[in-house]
Amino acid sequence: VARGARGARRMGCPAACWVALLLCTGGSLSKPTLRKERVVHPDPQLSDQLHEDNQSFQYDHEAFLGKEEAKTFDQLTPEESQEKLGKIVDRIDDNKDGYVTTEELKNWIKRVQKRYIYENVAKVWRDYDLNNDNKISWEEYKQATYGYYLENPEEFQDATDQNSFKKMLPRDERRFKSADLDGDSAATREEFTAFLHPEEFEHMKDIVVLETLEDIDKNEDGFVDQDEYIADMFAHEEGGPEPDWVLTEREQFSDFRDINKDGKMDKEEIRHWILPQDYDHAQAEARHLVYESDVDKDQKLTKEEILQNWNMFVGSQATNYGEDLTKNHDEL
């Protein structure tokens, strides 16, 4: 539970889930004894399938639709698949100019791959939108999350509990303000998603870095030294030996984390550590789909070009069984 709580705090879950964990454990959140991962990889592989267009377009289907939705298309007739694809194209064309650019396609793929995040927000939305106005104000969130604590402070007499709640409320308010792009103190669904999952949004990356620094920087000097770095990952038992992986992490800190070799990590070095510039799978797939479908080579796609190459974007009953298209056609 302790590891879950700390992981929840770092990976985007604000006080709400931490509070629940604290209450159900009686406030006893011990350090993890296993290695904890703080590095965010926002763009993992888009599909478990091999990307081999000469064999199958399954990788492209799962990248473009998501794994579950791709399965749904595999049950449709070719005509139904193309009709649904046409409607998707209209949604991808953000500026409604009749073309799908590589950037629009990349953004669509990223949204599809993060669908689980939006589904998570949808599940908890009613818990916070207390007046049902389809926005969540800071006051609503504070009441839903901290209301019991604020109304019953006598039940939180433990100094550790008090300190935790007092730190977390302003921290959540700071994160909420960063997510609230229009500054109206009320979060839309997109803004609330950024609040709950800041690691997924570019404009929230500074908050992720700052919160990580605050979590690890125990002497509050504004930096993370090697001992703080290791202490965040490993609860060292007095007199006990350090596992080999801890010794390796000490070397990692000296050789790679501490870029300027001053013995500590500043915010920029923390950013390099937890938010590495990984290969952008969505960008690569968007470029691939445009290249393969761009008949007139103007580096953007019309709906007609996409529908002409529809089976690269979506599947159907006709492609559901891989290479044996003839047999499948006969069954249809």
Side-chain angles (χ1 to χ4, degrees):
V1 172
R3 190 176 185 188
R6 301 202 48 192
R9 292 295 302 141
R10 212 281 309 143
M11 281 302 293
C13 180
C17 48
W18 193 93
V19 169
L21 284 163
L22 183 62
L23 291 172
C24 60
T25 56
S28 58
L29 293 182
S30 60
K31 281 188 177 181
T33 56
L34 300 174
R35 183 175 184 171
K36 180 159 82 282
E37 179 64 67
R38 281 190 179 271
V39 179
V40 178
H41 296 283
D43 291 308
Q45 277 282 0
L46 305 178
S47 170
D48 296 330
Q49 305 290 328
L50 292 176
H51 199 177
E52 299 177 326
D53 287 347
N54 61 328
Q55 300 290 330
S56 166
F57 293 132
Q58 196 61 37
Y59 179 98
D60 301 297
H61 297 169
E62 292 187 5
F64 181 73
L65 296 168
K67 186 176 294 186
E68 294 306 313
E69 188 67 7
K71 292 178 183 176
T72 300
F73 269 78
D74 286 344
Q75 307 307 313
L76 302 177
T77 66
E79 293 75 20
E80 289 170 334
S81 286
Q82 291 176 65
E83 182 181 353
K84 288 191 70 173
L85 174 59
K87 293 177 181 178
I88 290 174
V89 172
D90 292 336
R91 293 165 60 191
I92 298 174
D93 180 15
D94 288 329
N95 62 5
K96 307 304 178 189
D97 66 349
Y99 295 96
V100 170
T101 64
T102 301
E103 184 69 15
E104 287 173 328
L105 198 49
K106 180 193 76 172
N107 292 339
W108 167 263
I109 291 171
K110 284 181 178 287
R111 285 199 299 270
V112 163
Q113 296 298 321
K114 293 170 182 173
R115 184 176 288 153
Y116 72 95
I117 292 173
Y118 293 97
E119 290 173 351
N120 169 260
V121 171
K123 288 177 183 176
V124 302
W125 184 264
R126 288 187 179 181
D127 295 336
Y128 300 108
D129 183 14
L130 304 180
N131 65 359
N132 296 314
D133 66 347
N134 209 31
K135 282 191 172 185
I136 294 173
S137 69
W138 165 246
E139 288 302 319
E140 285 178 311
Y141 176 80
K142 184 173 74 170
Q143 181 59 36
T145 303
Y146 294 99
Y148 187 82
Y149 162 69
L150 294 172
E151 294 170 8
N152 302 278
E154 70 282 355
E155 294 190 25
F156 299 85
Q157 293 304 313
D158 183 274
T160 302
D161 293 355
Q162 287 279 6
N163 190 44
S164 296
F165 280 99
K166 286 178 181 177
K167 281 185 176 180
M168 288 166 60
L169 197 155
R171 176 163 153 155
D172 271 356
E173 185 172 15
R174 180 183 65 195
R175 188 198 281 196
F176 192 96
K177 287 180 178 178
S178 294
D180 179 23
L181 290 177
D182 59 9
D184 66 351
S185 297
T188 63
R189 286 183 184 263
E190 188 74 5
E191 289 171 337
F192 197 62
T193 302
F195 172 65
L196 291 181
H197 300 275
E199 72 282 353
E200 303 289 352
F201 291 81
E202 192 61 38
H203 68 280
M204 298 294 289
K205 297 295 176 68
D206 287 344
I207 283 290
V208 174
V209 171
L210 180 58
E211 290 182 1
T212 301
L213 172 62
E214 291 173 344
D215 283 346
I216 306 176
D217 178 23
K218 299 308 179 187
N219 64 9
E220 299 183 349
D221 66 349
F223 300 92
V224 172
D225 61 37
Q226 186 182 109
D227 288 337
E228 289 170 330
Y229 173 76
I230 295 299
D232 179 62
M233 301 179 177
F234 175 67
H236 192 277
E237 296 180 9
E238 192 170 342
E242 288 186 342
D244 290 342
W245 69 262
V246 173
L247 300 178
T248 301
E249 281 296 341
R250 289 191 181 278
E251 294 173 0
Q252 288 281 322
F253 183 93
S254 299
D255 295 342
F256 302 107
R257 310 286 183 240
D258 179 18
I259 297 172
N260 62 8
K261 308 304 177 188
D262 64 352
K264 55 194 177 184
M265 284 194 292
D266 57 26
K267 287 181 183 177
E268 196 56 37
E269 288 168 322
I270 291 172
R271 178 184 291 269
H272 278 284
W273 166 40
I274 66 171
L275 300 169
Q277 296 299 308
D278 290 346
Y279 179 72
D280 193 332
H281 295 281
Q283 176 77 16
E285 177 64 11
R287 286 175 175 170
H288 168 66
L289 290 173
V290 170
Y291 178 81
E292 294 294 338
S293 308
D294 185 16
V295 176
D296 60 10
K297 302 304 175 187
D298 62 352
Q299 300 185 347
K300 54 189 176 182
L301 302 179
T302 62
K303 180 187 284 191
E304 289 71 26
E305 286 176 321
I306 292 175
L307 291 177
Q308 188 174 332
N309 196 27
W310 67 274
N311 61 340
M312 175 171 271
F313 290 83
V314 300
S316 73
Q317 292 171 354
T319 56
N320 193 23
Y321 299 104
E323 298 176 357
D324 197 357
L325 301 181
T326 305
K327 177 186 174 183
N328 200 61
H329 179 74
D330 291 340
E331 290 175 351
L332 289 173

